[in-house]
Amino acid sequence: MDKIKIAIQKSGRLNEDSLRILKDCGISIDNGKDQLKAQARNFPMEVLYLRNGDIPQYLRDGVVDIAIIGENVLIEKGTDIQFMEKLGFSKCRVSLAIPKSTSYSGINDLDGKRIATSYPNTVNRYLEERGVSAELHIINGSVEIAPNIGLADAICDIVSSGSTLFKNNLKEAEIMLKSEAVLAVSPKIDQEKSEILEKLRFRINSVLQARQSKYVLMNVPNDRLEDILKLLPGMRSPTVLPLAEAGWSSVHTVIKQDTFWEVIDGLKLAGAEGILVCPIEKMVL
């Protein structure tokens, strides 16, 4: 059977998160130190460890079939490359930043200014759409130092926590776009590998659904059961089981992570007790 070739960033957080989701999908990778290529033991997959910025070209040429890559890299270097899934990790934003001492009232303040960046295509598109003209200095590496040494008036870079900007006496002025890891696909992928990709996507979606949900069990007095059930956004309907103690039931349901605390607060007010929250390993819908 043919193997699907997947590109993953050589090092860094995206590398770690990519390998973690493959592991959670039940795929075991034979990793060796400093390897540039590895095999999966239990899935038809070969992993290539590549520089993030080179991955769009490898996809374009069909050297790899799929890749886990930052959406920001596709926007910069691979607008012709399609992605099939947003993966929910390695989230960041691509922002324009200026020295803390510089006042800022809007994007027009950067007209005629010098901007240091390793994302020239993204910056150019953003500025052109807003009728702003700036001089770009393309830097591969740490751009945060550019204003401090007089090379630029502003920078464009990826921002996660903002701590790097803070350390370099910079402040975020414009959030140009928000990004996260995505599963990108080569336009040259063949039918057999597309079938393997669908199996992988099924596993990934099961993992992502589980990561976004919590399994919740609670004890509910029967006279409050109807009110409690109205609060629960379960997958279909909650499971209700009688407890040994008369007049009480055990209610089991799944709650989405993004509404979890609001729902829990409502359940407590409605009379739920002994609320137990469990992580979900996989969720197959």
Side-chain angles (χ1 to χ4, degrees), residues 132-143:
V132 174
S133 177
E135 179 185 342
L136 298 192
H137 291 267
I138 302 172
I139 299 176
N140 294 316
S142 299
V143 300

Side-chain angles (χ1 to χ4, degrees), residues 96-99 102-104 106-116 123-124 127 132-137 151-155:
L96 290 163
I98 58 176
T102 303
S103 61
Y104 187 78
I107 190 66
N108 288 327
D109 288 358
L110 296 178
D111 195 56
K113 301 295 186 181
R114 300 164 300 161
I115 302 175
V123 177
N124 273 327
L127 295 180
V132 174
S133 177
E135 179 185 342
L136 298 192
H137 291 267
L151 181 63
D153 304 296
I155 68 163

Side-chain angles (χ1 to χ4, degrees), residues 178-198:
K178 293 184 178 180
S179 173
E180 64 186 84
V182 298
L183 181 67
V185 184
S186 168
K188 296 187 176 181
I189 190 170
D190 62 31
Q191 181 60 37
E192 185 175 359
K193 291 180 180 179
S194 292
E195 291 172 6
I196 300 172
L197 172 58
E198 286 309 306

Side-chain angles (χ1 to χ4, degrees), residues 31-51:
N31 282 324
K33 188 177 180 182
D34 299 326
Q35 272 187 283
L36 297 180
K37 187 166 68 171
Q39 304 291 328
R41 290 197 300 272
N42 56 354
F43 193 81
M45 174 183 286
E46 185 176 62
V47 181
L48 280 72
Y49 299 101
L50 304 171
R51 286 181 65 252

Side-chain angles (χ1 to χ4, degrees), residues 109-207:
D109 288 358
L110 296 178
D111 195 56
K113 301 295 186 181
R114 300 164 300 161
I115 302 175
T117 185
S118 51
Y119 294 91
N121 295 327
T122 303
V123 177
N124 273 327
R125 280 194 297 269
Y126 188 85
L127 295 180
E128 285 174 6
E129 288 169 2
R130 289 155 181 80
V132 174
S133 177
E135 179 185 342
L136 298 192
H137 291 267
I138 302 172
I139 299 176
N140 294 316
S142 299
V143 300
E144 295 87 358
I145 196 174
N148 293 328
I149 62 175
L151 181 63
D153 304 296
I155 68 163
C156 168
D157 202 10
I158 58 172
V159 178
S160 295
S161 66
S163 61
T164 303
L165 294 182
F166 181 81
K167 290 174 185 176
N168 286 276
N169 210 30
L170 299 172
K171 63 182 179 182
E172 214 167 352
E174 293 269 335
I175 297 175
M176 298 167 56
L177 61 93
K178 293 184 178 180
S179 173
E180 64 186 84
V182 298
L183 181 67
V185 184
S186 168
K188 296 187 176 181
I189 190 170
D190 62 31
Q191 181 60 37
E192 185 175 359
K193 291 180 180 179
S194 292
E195 291 172 6
I196 300 172
L197 172 58
E198 286 309 306
K199 293 179 180 178
L200 177 62
R201 287 183 69 196
F202 174 78
R203 296 191 187 194
I204 287 174
N205 282 317
S206 297
V207 171

Side-chain angles (χ1 to χ4, degrees), residues 195-249:
E195 291 172 6
I196 300 172
L197 172 58
E198 286 309 306
K199 293 179 180 178
L200 177 62
R201 287 183 69 196
F202 174 78
R203 296 191 187 194
I204 287 174
N205 282 317
S206 297
V207 171
L208 294 180
Q209 287 287 340
R211 288 182 179 180
Q212 295 162 10
S213 306
K214 298 290 185 183
Y215 190 74
V216 179
L217 305 84
M218 71 201 82
N219 297 331
V220 178
N222 288 344
D223 60 355
R224 306 303 303 273
L225 194 55
E226 187 176 343
D227 292 335
I228 293 286
L229 295 181
K230 288 178 181 177
L231 296 173
L232 297 178
M235 294 169 64
R236 287 195 177 171
S237 62
T239 300
V240 180
L241 301 170
L243 289 179
E245 182 179 347
W248 285 79
S249 295

